[in-house]
Amino acid sequence: MSWLDNSMHNELDTELNVLTRSAFFKQLKTHYRATKHTQQQSLFIAMEYECISQLRSVLNVDNVTYLLKRSVQIFQDNLPDNAVVGRSLKEINAFLPDFDESQLDQLIECLQSAFNVPIVLPNGQILEVKPKLISAMFPGVFDRTDNADRIINQMAMFLGYCDQTNSTSQHFHLDKSTLNYLNHRVAIDRLILGAQANDEFKVVYQPKVNISNGVIIGAEALIRWESPELGWVSPLQFIERAEFTGMIQPMSLFVLHQSIQALDHCREIDDKFIVSINLSASCIESNYFVDELEYYILNSGHPAACFEFEVTESVAIKNYQVAHHALQRLRDLGCRIALDDFGTGHSSLAWLSKMPLDTLKIDRRFIVNMLHSVADIQVVKTIVALGHACGLDVIAEGIEEKQQADLAYLELNCLYAQGYLFGKPMALSDLLVKLSDAPVQSRSNQKVKISSTLCDVLHCLRLS
């Protein structure tokens, strides 16, 4: 740590003999301001020590402390002499002034090789420590700015992102695309908080149909967001951030209110019409939120049976007892419960028989590949049989071609479907037109003669 300002020696972490967090970032900002108008590039690198902290359950405090100290020493010993090192909450941070990025791979390889050598604890126990390494050049891909805190905040954001990722990689390096993604995520977090008040959300509806006769039995209510600043934001992006920011419950209640208005119109055409609403983990884990659902359903002017609530497999099994209690409350009220994206989680026949369910929705990935994979046909066939054995309706999601619909109904005994073949998510006005034009026939499970084209597809698949 020869590059340290003399004043910093009084701001050392006494346990690890490295700078405290505040002292480290003070030093980093001082260096950034001194070099921001030059072409000099520096390296920020962090060693995440969560893997050591997790050993507290199997090692005593002294051994964990020794292991952490030894790991920090290994980290420091394999950095250049001018490295400035400091402690943070979950990482040991370092920055290397005037660093050549072409040397990064060699440095990472050196560090990983050093950590491949087992560490011997004072009690003789031998352990291997494989810390995650996180790096970023600066200014590097960061926008050059006079505000050093902005750079540091973006670095902290990247550290958090790496901490949360499920990747097994031991090294993460910040590139431009990842930085753009993280900045976009921050913008979503900032703007979503006022989106509902600014009337930026809208609800669209995707029809669900009886394949045998084309009758629309209901629709799934889906939220969409058009931000004046970001444009249309993908639900895959903003739903996750709504969970993170705590906006998911107000958003879900907004969808419920819009769905009640949709039922006001749809049930004038078909009084058995059902609207489906998605519930997230935080929704079903909140008794207060379920109370809100009950209140609005009971005061909607519609039978509770007109409301179906969808939860994904992963949400339902994440906290089984809590999920079961919340879903049972809604079921006791008279609402229907659907298990979405079935086939992607870890459900079993015993588990399904205990959950208060009415419907299984087969994950679209199996449906999309049916015409090209005998294995996926068998998976779908098994799920349909499983659902029927549990007394559940089964819906095939992601139907885009007539051959898929024919196969699902005629060959696999799946009566209901949802997908672009029957309609993309649409405005309520378009749904009402489609509902008015749809055939009104009695349900029939009678099979019709399978088309010759479908026979050819099945024959080819069975030969392949």
Side-chain angles (χ1 to χ4, degrees):
M1 298 201 304
S2 59
W3 198 78
L4 272 173
D5 286 348
N6 291 333
S7 60
M8 292 293 175
H9 286 287
N10 294 324
E11 299 189 57
L12 292 177
D13 179 275
T14 55
E15 183 181 36
L16 300 179
N17 198 36
V18 298
L19 290 176
T20 62
R21 184 182 187 279
S22 60
F24 173 82
F25 283 109
K26 180 179 179 182
Q27 189 81 339
L28 178 61
K29 286 192 282 188
T30 299
H31 173 71
Y32 175 76
R33 293 190 185 103
T35 61
K36 65 184 177 182
H37 296 302
T38 71
Q39 296 300 312
Q40 184 181 125
Q41 294 286 330
S42 300
L43 175 69
F44 173 87
I45 185 166
M47 178 194 78
E48 191 175 75
Y49 57 82
E50 181 69 16
C51 59
I52 298 173
S53 299
Q54 291 174 350
L55 295 174
R56 295 183 188 277
S57 60
V58 293
L59 297 176
N60 63 37
V61 174
D62 290 340
N63 281 327
V64 170
T65 301
Y66 177 86
L67 193 60
L68 179 57
K69 287 182 177 179
R70 184 72 187 100
S71 297
V72 172
Q73 190 63 53
I74 293 171
F75 183 60
Q76 285 185 282
D77 288 347
N78 287 276
L79 294 176
D81 291 340
N82 66 343
V84 179
V85 183
R87 182 175 191 171
S88 194
L89 293 178
K90 292 184 177 181
E91 305 91 20
I92 301 300
N93 299 322
F95 76 87
L96 285 56
D98 198 15
F99 185 81
D100 183 353
E101 189 173 6
S102 66
Q103 302 299 311
L104 177 61
D105 289 344
Q106 181 179 343
L107 175 63
I108 296 300
E109 184 178 345
C110 179
L111 285 165
Q112 290 177 337
S113 296
F115 281 108
N116 281 335
V117 178
I119 296 175
V120 182
L121 299 179
N123 64 1
Q125 189 174 357
I126 299 175
L127 290 175
E128 271 192 22
V129 175
K130 302 286 187 182
K132 190 183 295 183
L133 299 172
I134 303 165
S135 61
M137 299 297 298
F138 71 95
V141 296
F142 299 107
D143 294 331
R144 289 183 182 268
T145 173
D146 291 335
N147 188 349
D149 287 326
R150 175 171 168 78
I151 301 290
I152 291 173
N153 287 342
Q154 290 181 322
M155 286 182 180
M157 182 170 61
F158 181 53
L159 290 172
Y161 167 76
C162 296
D163 181 50
Q164 294 167 8
T165 184
N166 292 323
S167 172
T168 57
S169 175
Q170 292 300 114
H171 175 226
F172 297 86
H173 186 66
L174 180 64
D175 56 26
K176 190 64 177 179
S177 62
T178 303
L179 181 62
N180 288 341
Y181 164 76
L182 293 174
N183 285 334
H184 183 66
R185 196 170 71 170
V186 168
I188 290 175
D189 292 351
R190 171 173 55 86
L191 295 169
I192 201 171
L193 296 176
Q196 188 169 334
N198 295 331
D199 200 26
E200 296 169 15
F201 292 138
K202 74 172 187 176
V203 175
V204 293
Y205 303 87
Q206 186 171 34
K208 300 179 182 181
V209 304
N210 183 321
I211 305 176
S212 69
N213 52 30
V215 171
I216 298 175
I217 60 171
E220 180 178 359
L222 301 164
I223 192 166
R224 296 293 184 261
W225 178 25
E226 184 178 16
S227 164
E229 183 174 326
L230 302 175
W232 287 105
V233 185
S234 168
L236 296 177
Q237 296 176 332
F238 77 79
I239 295 296
E240 174 195 1
R241 304 317 297 170
E243 285 267 18
F244 177 79
T245 59
M247 278 296 296
I248 192 67
Q249 293 185 20
M251 279 172 48
S252 299
L253 288 177
F254 171 77
V255 174
L256 175 62
H257 295 155
Q258 295 294 306
S259 298
I260 291 172
Q261 294 178 28
L263 283 174
D264 292 342
H265 300 286
C266 292
R267 292 190 66 238
E268 290 181 357
I269 303 170
D270 179 0
D271 63 357
K272 294 183 176 60
F273 188 88
I274 296 172
V275 65
S276 299
I277 300 165
N278 292 283
L279 295 181
S280 70
S282 63
C283 288
I284 63 175
E285 289 170 0
S286 167
N287 285 327
Y288 168 78
F289 181 80
V290 178
D291 289 341
E292 290 278 287
L293 291 182
E294 287 186 349
Y295 173 81
Y296 288 116
I297 291 168
L298 291 173
N299 291 278
S300 68
H302 301 289
C306 292
F307 297 90
E308 181 173 65
F309 292 98
E310 297 187 9
V311 294
T312 63
E313 238 185 312
S314 57
V315 166
I317 64 179
K318 177 184 176 183
N319 191 338
Y320 172 79
Q321 295 296 336
V322 173
H324 185 282
H325 176 71
L327 297 178
Q328 188 64 61
R329 283 181 62 184
L330 294 172
R331 189 104 180 288
D332 291 344
L333 196 65
C335 303
R336 293 175 58 86
I337 306 296
L339 190 64
D340 198 9
D341 296 339
F342 186 76
T344 59
H346 309 284
S347 300
S348 67
L349 181 58
W351 185 86
L352 283 176
S353 67
K354 294 176 182 177
M355 285 295 288
L357 298 174
D358 299 280
T359 303
L360 283 187
K361 298 184 73 176
I362 306 173
D363 186 77
R364 68 183 311 277
R365 282 170 283 188
F366 298 118
I367 303 300
V368 169
N369 293 325
M370 281 196 310
L371 297 179
H372 311 287
S373 168
V374 172
D376 282 329
I377 288 177
Q378 292 302 319
V379 169
V380 173
K381 189 173 185 178
T382 301
I383 293 175
V384 173
L386 180 63
H388 289 167
C390 293
L392 307 176
D393 291 331
V394 181
I395 295 181
E397 285 192 286
I399 297 285
E400 298 180 357
E401 304 175 33
K402 187 176 186 304
Q403 287 184 346
Q404 292 172 332
D406 288 345
L407 178 57
Y409 173 54
L410 300 171
E411 184 77 4
L412 306 180
N413 201 31
C414 183
L415 184 60
Y416 303 109
Q418 179 180 350
Y420 282 9
L421 177 65
F422 308 105
K424 296 181 179 181
M426 60 189 71
L428 176 59
S429 58
D430 295 325
L431 175 65
L432 293 174
V433 171
K434 195 172 187 68
L435 191 58
S436 299
D437 293 341
V440 180
Q441 301 178 38
S442 60
R443 176 191 284 193
S444 173
N445 291 320
Q446 181 179 358
K447 300 292 192 293
V448 298
K449 184 177 180 181
I450 193 168
S451 68
S452 59
T453 305
L454 183 56
C455 282
D456 292 340
V457 170
L458 292 171
H459 178 67
C460 291
L461 285 172
R462 285 163 181 157
L463 289 178
S464 61

